[in-house]
Amino acid sequence: ILDVDDLKDINDNDGHAAGDAALRTVADRFRNVLRFGDNAARIGGDEFALILPGTDPAEVPSLLERVGQGESNTPVPNLSFGAAQCPTEAKDYDTLFRLADERMYASKGRGS
């Protein structure tokens, strides 16, 4: 689970069009960085879910670094994330989502 950090501040300071542009930039970067078989979806507000088959959670920071680097000059807002692995940590969707969501909020709290 990913959260676009400070989207509310972008909307409040620069307008909702700027917030929408930030979300589109993140989505465009996902299209350019993710592998065939990976999936990204906006699940609401400033959150995205990624399904990354065969990916070790330790690889997610480098993936997000590639998302942030992109080829355009448009900056990507900071992203906080939480990862959970199926089936080693959870065997059902609800548990998997809850673990990833808790970890994402812990990541935001640490500023990472």
Side-chain angles (χ1 to χ4, degrees):
I1 303 294
L2 297 177
D3 181 89
V4 178
D5 294 344
D6 303 321
L7 184 64
K8 182 183 180 336
D9 290 340
I10 294 170
N11 284 333
D12 290 349
N13 296 327
D14 302 324
H16 287 275
D20 290 346
L23 292 171
R24 279 193 306 277
T25 297
V26 170
D28 288 342
R29 299 286 176 85
F30 286 149
R31 274 193 286 279
N32 292 327
V33 170
L34 295 180
R35 306 165 299 185
F36 182 80
D38 291 345
N39 289 286
R42 184 175 174 206
I43 56 175
D46 59 357
E47 290 187 344
F48 288 82
L50 299 178
I51 299 173
L52 308 168
T55 301
D56 185 306
E59 297 173 19
V60 174
S62 65
L63 167 76
L64 296 181
E65 191 175 306
R66 291 192 310 274
V67 168
Q69 290 172 348
E71 292 183 17
S72 76
N73 291 332
T74 306
V76 172
N78 290 330
L79 303 170
S80 295
F81 77 94
Q85 207 168 16
C86 180
T88 56
E89 295 183 300
K91 299 198 184 316
D92 63 88
Y93 167 80
D94 290 332
T95 304
L96 187 70
F97 188 91
R98 181 182 49 76
L99 280 172
D101 199 47
E102 287 172 359
R103 292 170 181 169
M104 186 265 303
Y105 278 103
S107 170
K108 285 184 78 71
R110 288 188 305 271
S112 50

